Amino acid sequence: MTNKKPGAYAGYTEARKAANAKYEAETVERISLVLPKGKKAVIKARTEKTGQSVNSFINKAINEKIQRDDLKSGQEVQEDHPEDPATTQPATLPFTEEERAKIDLDLL
């Protein structure tokens, strides 16, 4: 039997699982996304090239579309969660023109 050091990682405990579930229930929402066959692979390949997660990529794309629509309609661009700096989106579009051109070409 091995002796564990005090404070050593005890593994993914039931308490950690419950704490994670509570945090997620209070801070995030989940959505199921249905894509045409092959689109998931296109998105995954793009995210691997850019070093971001699929979730981050999809969130950026959604935020860009919302901000672009707001700018077109003359509405003030709203931040998603102004109290949370980790999720606050800048007033500018999240993708550069060059990134948008590459994404548009990949999706054709």
Side-chain angles (χ1 to χ4, degrees), residues 55-86:
N55 189 66
S56 174
F57 179 85
I58 292 171
N59 272 304
K60 277 186 168 183
I62 292 168
N63 288 336
E64 179 181 337
K65 173 67 171 145
I66 291 169
Q67 290 175 358
R68 189 172 53 236
D69 289 351
D70 287 351
L71 290 171
K72 281 182 184 177
S73 68
Q75 293 180 18
E76 185 177 329
V77 176
Q78 298 294 315
E79 294 178 348
D80 289 336
H81 303 281
E83 71 285 352
D84 183 358

Side-chain angles (χ1 to χ4, degrees), residues 3 6 10 14-18 21-22 25 29 33 39 43 50 63 69 77 80-82 88 92 105 108:
N3 292 332
E14 286 300 316
R16 171 54 42 211
K17 184 177 178 180
K22 180 178 184 240
E29 294 177 308
L33 180 65
K39 181 71 71 164
I43 294 169
T50 59
N63 288 336
D69 289 351
V77 176
D80 289 336
H81 303 281
T88 300
T92 59
L105 290 175
L108 291 177

Side-chain angles (χ1 to χ4, degrees), residues 2 10 26 37 47-49 59 74-75 78 82 99 108:
T2 61
E26 293 172 355
K37 277 217 179 275
T47 61
E48 288 172 357
K49 285 182 189 176
N59 272 304
Q75 293 180 18
Q78 298 294 315
E99 289 172 323
L108 291 177

